[in-house]
């Protein structure tokens, strides 16, 4: 399992358990957190020569900032704290550390009014390090007024910006800014990374993430069945070296239903990626109208056809009954079915898809639905009637497709990617890979609760036509090799993103094309997968 990721509520519960049941005082946890911030800053600059300004709020985040200021001053740094809330609002553990900070001769400047804030900022304008300790994980409303001005002032500093736990103004669960938001160069977070720091767009506000141990054992989190993880190379472990006695038949046969007139490239990219991801055999089946554009283009692919030319000139016209009669025998001997890239968009495709999905699942095949298959599903949800929680089914929507499946705007999907991925998984009883920067993978709910994963690989160069078809092929290949749905989805999105990163490292992001990504897949496997 990758690095554990927590929500704000989960983090609060863990803090409470350590304080109340383990017996570690909150003031001790706060000292460990602030000390960790100081140590990270000392790794970035020469602390003995540094000029540091700390913007502190009234809550525990401000308390962490007071501790960091004290430890940096003890290292010889010139430190100024700008207190952005009235002192009477600072209480509990934070008040204890405020007093300790003051007794350590740290300069504390008034920043509680617009005039005082501006004056304090001018006084500390030469600071090489700016510490944001205004808001932590408890923020749940947009930042406005005076504290929004404080955030703007933090962002206006020229020095290195270091956020304490989360950048102030960032929703720590959804990873979206709540009005004004600090744009940090570094974020020092405690015990476990927060969802908003690793998802999109939050990771762009967090900068480089530093994880600090403050004495909360991971076993406590595991005991609570927290199951949101940040993927790493371990997710590729199932792709280790093949059985030396294996052959093409044992490495999985994938059937790809894809392509139509003008969209044959989608079918070719999907099939080619499946081969590059390790499928032993791949058969691409497309409308007969696409035969000339597909046959022989990739000699390693097998091909098959369905449908007949329409006398009225519609090259992709479909008679569902006759087409199913041609497609159903092709399910024999296959382990997985990938549907969607470049499919005909005619409503006549829907009854065909419904029958094919039911037949494939009835034979025990795994299934991945993407692109136009998802658009058909959004228009006709009954296509999913044969999907059960026991089936190995994966949906791979981009945010627009996810919005259509949920009946909401794309912006709403992007506003809470975790929730939308989980809701799709529950609604369709399938594993969902919500594509985009920091792809989110969600499993349908089970007795142990939700299961989520965030993929850290990938870059903007993948934002080009056909890369989604490459992902579909990779997912299909791993399903055909026998991986479970969640394991196949997480491994495929990580592999796909890492392939994009490899291409970017060699050629740059601009001009990357989907075929480059497909060709990079086996190199990533060779470089990142340790033999068993």
């Amino acid at each position: 399992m990758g690095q554990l990721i927590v929500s704000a509520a989960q983090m609060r519960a863990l803090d409470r358990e350590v304080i109340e049941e383990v017996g570690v005082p909150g003031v001790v946890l706060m000292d460990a957190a602030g000390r960790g911030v100081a140590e990270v800053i000392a790794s970035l600059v020469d602390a003995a020569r540094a000029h540091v300004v700390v913007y502190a709020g009234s809550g525990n985040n401000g308390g962490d900032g007071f501790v960091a200021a004290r430890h940096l001053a003890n290292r010889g740094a010139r430190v100024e704290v700008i207190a952005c809330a009235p002192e009477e609002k600072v209480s509990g553990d934070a008040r204890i550390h405020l007093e300790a900070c003051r007794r350590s001769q740290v300069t504390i400047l008034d920043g509680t009014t617009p005039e005082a804030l501006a004056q304090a900022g001018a006084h500390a304008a030469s600071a090489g390090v700016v510490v944001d300790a205004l808001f932590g994980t408890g923020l749940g409303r947009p930042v406005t007024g005076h504290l929004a001005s404080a955030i703007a002032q933090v962002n206006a500093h020229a020095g290195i910006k270091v956020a304490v736990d989360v950048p102030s103004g960032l929703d720590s669960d959804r990873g979206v800014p709540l009005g004004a938001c600090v744009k940090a160069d570094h974020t020092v977070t405690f015990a476990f990374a927060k969802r908003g720091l690793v998802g999109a767009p939050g990771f762009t506000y967090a900068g480089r993430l530093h994880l600090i141990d403050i004495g909360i054992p991971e076993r406590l989190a595991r005991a609570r069945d927290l199951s949101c993880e940040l993927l790493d190379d371990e997710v590729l472990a199932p792709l280790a070296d093949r059985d030396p006695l294996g052959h093409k038949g044992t490495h999985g046969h994938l059937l790809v239903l894809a392509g139509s007139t003008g969209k044959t490239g989608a079918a070719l990219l999907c099939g080619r990626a499946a081969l590059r991801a390790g499928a032993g055999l791949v058969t691409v089946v497309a409308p007969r109208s696409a035969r000339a554009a597909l046959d022989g283009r990739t000699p390693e692919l097998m091909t098959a056809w369905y449908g007949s030319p329409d006398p009225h000139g519609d090259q992709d016209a479909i008679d569902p009954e006759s087409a199913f009669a041609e497609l159903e025998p092709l399910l024999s001997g296959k382990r997985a079915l990938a549907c969607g890239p470049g499919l005909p968009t005619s409503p006549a495709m829907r009854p065909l898809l419904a029958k094919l999905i039911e037949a494939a699942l009835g034979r025990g095949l795994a299934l991945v639905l993407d692109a136009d298959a998802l658009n058909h599903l959004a228009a006709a949800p009954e296509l999913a009637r044969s999907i059960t929680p026991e089936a190995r089914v994966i949906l791979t929507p981009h945010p627009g497709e996810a919005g259509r499946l949920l009946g909401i705007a794309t912006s709403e999907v992007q506003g809470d990617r975790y929730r939308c991925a989980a809701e799709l998984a529950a609604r369709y009883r399938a594993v969902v890979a919500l594509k985009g920067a920091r792809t989110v993978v969600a499993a349908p709910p089970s007795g142990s609760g939700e299961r989520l994963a965030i993929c850290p690989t990938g870059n903007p160069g993948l934002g080009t036509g056909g890369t989604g078809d490459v992902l579909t092929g990779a997912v299909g290949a791993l399903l055909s090799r026998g991986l479970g749905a969640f394991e196949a989805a997480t491994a495929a999105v990580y592999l796909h993103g890492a392939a994009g990163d490899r291409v970017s490292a060699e050629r740059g992001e601009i001009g990357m094309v989907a075929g480059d990504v497909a060709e990079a897949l086996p190199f990533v496997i060779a470089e990142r997968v340790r033999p068993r």
Side-chain angles (χ1 to χ4, degrees):
M1 190 171 187
Q3 180 184 328
L4 188 66
I5 309 299
V6 299
S7 68
Q10 290 166 345
M11 192 68 240
R12 284 193 295 271
L14 289 167
D15 278 334
R16 190 163 52 247
E17 183 173 358
V18 169
I19 293 169
E20 296 176 359
E21 298 180 29
V22 178
V24 179
V27 70
V28 173
L29 292 177
M30 187 173 286
D31 188 77
R35 184 192 296 268
V37 173
E39 289 174 351
V40 169
I41 291 171
S43 73
L44 299 173
V45 298
D46 181 355
R49 297 173 180 269
H51 179 192
V52 181
V53 59
V54 178
Y55 283 76
S58 62
N60 286 344
N61 199 249
D64 298 333
F66 298 139
V67 174
R70 176 167 54 84
H71 283 293
L72 287 167
N74 290 343
R75 289 172 177 258
R78 173 189 166 192
V79 185
E80 288 139 351
V81 173
I82 300 178
C84 296
E87 189 169 314
E88 59 269 20
K89 290 189 175 181
V90 181
S91 60
D93 298 331
R95 183 57 178 254
I96 291 171
H97 285 296
L98 168 59
E99 298 299 338
C101 191
R102 179 178 284 115
R103 288 193 293 270
S104 298
Q105 308 302 311
V106 174
T107 301
I108 299 178
L109 304 173
D110 178 25
T112 58
T113 67
E115 296 77 15
L117 178 65
Q119 185 175 353
H123 180 80
S126 64
V129 179
V130 184
V131 178
D132 159 36
L134 292 167
F135 292 106
T137 60
L139 184 66
R141 64 187 186 282
V143 183
T144 58
H146 177 64
L147 290 173
S149 298
I151 287 175
Q153 193 161 297
V154 169
N155 286 333
H157 275 279
I160 298 170
K161 297 169 189 65
V162 179
V164 175
D165 209 12
V166 297
S168 292
L170 186 72
D171 186 305
S172 65
D173 285 343
R174 296 185 294 135
V176 296
L178 296 169
C181 187
V182 166
K183 187 86 168 178
D185 300 303
H186 300 265
T187 295
V188 184
T189 197
F190 311 127
F192 307 102
K194 316 309 182 287
R195 291 185 180 187
L197 298 175
V198 298
F203 77 97
T204 67
Y205 289 87
R208 181 183 170 192
L209 194 61
H210 304 262
L211 187 62
I212 299 299
D213 178 9
I214 60 171
I216 299 179
E218 185 169 323
R219 61 178 174 78
L220 294 182
R222 300 293 184 192
R224 289 174 174 268
D225 289 327
L226 305 185
S227 54
C228 182
E229 61 183 301
L230 183 67
L231 300 175
D232 58 25
D233 282 359
E234 288 301 312
V235 77
L236 300 178
L239 311 187
D241 292 346
R242 300 183 181 190
D243 182 346
L245 299 179
H247 52 80
K248 64 184 180 183
T250 61
H251 298 151
H253 192 165
L254 173 67
L255 181 65
V256 175
L257 181 67
S260 58
T261 303
K263 298 179 181 179
T264 53
L268 288 169
L269 284 167
C270 185
R272 181 179 173 189
L275 290 170
R276 291 301 190 190
L281 295 166
V282 178
T283 297
V284 173
V285 56
R288 276 191 173 78
S289 60
R291 182 167 189 168
L294 283 174
D295 229 357
R297 291 286 301 277
T298 301
E300 298 89 350
L301 290 172
M302 293 181 285
T303 53
W305 318 102
Y306 67 93
S308 301
D310 182 69
H312 303 292
D314 184 352
Q315 293 183 316
D316 296 318
I318 298 164
D319 174 63
E321 294 297 328
S322 61
F324 179 72
E326 293 179 286
L327 291 172
E328 198 269 341
L330 296 174
L331 298 173
S332 180
K334 310 302 188 298
R335 290 187 185 173
L337 171 65
C339 290
L343 273 187
T345 57
S346 165
M349 192 73 197
R350 292 166 198 162
L352 172 59
L353 272 177
K355 295 187 71 171
L356 191 64
I357 290 170
E358 184 175 9
L361 296 179
R363 288 172 175 252
L365 274 69
L367 175 68
V368 53
L369 299 178
D370 181 38
D372 285 313
L374 296 176
N375 291 328
H376 284 301
L377 179 59
E382 64 272 13
L383 295 182
R385 64 177 181 267
S386 56
I387 298 176
T388 65
E390 295 75 29
R392 290 188 298 143
V393 179
I394 300 172
L395 313 183
T396 59
H398 59 55
E401 292 160 347
R404 288 191 283 276
L405 288 167
L406 290 171
I408 60 177
T410 302
S411 59
E412 189 174 341
V413 174
Q414 293 295 74
D416 197 342
R417 288 171 55 80
Y418 296 111
R419 176 184 64 80
C420 290
E423 188 174 330
L424 278 171
R427 181 176 298 189
Y428 292 99
R429 303 177 298 281
V431 169
V432 170
L434 177 54
K435 296 184 292 193
R438 299 294 169 103
T439 291
V440 178
V441 181
S446 65
S448 58
E450 70 176 10
R451 190 178 184 191
L452 295 168
I454 303 98
C455 179
T457 60
N459 61 78
L462 289 166
T464 184
T467 55
D469 306 322
V470 171
L471 175 61
T472 302
V475 172
L478 302 190
L479 287 173
S480 75
R481 291 181 61 179
L483 272 68
F486 193 81
E487 290 70 26
T490 50
V493 299
Y494 189 89
L495 172 64
H496 178 262
D501 290 341
R502 192 181 196 278
V503 175
S504 175
E506 292 180 351
R507 303 183 185 181
E509 295 175 1
I510 298 174
M512 183 188 304
V513 296
D516 298 335
V517 180
E519 292 306 305
L521 295 173
F523 292 99
V524 172
I525 295 171
E527 292 162 357
R528 298 202 183 202
V529 179
R530 292 195 295 268
R532 290 175 178 170

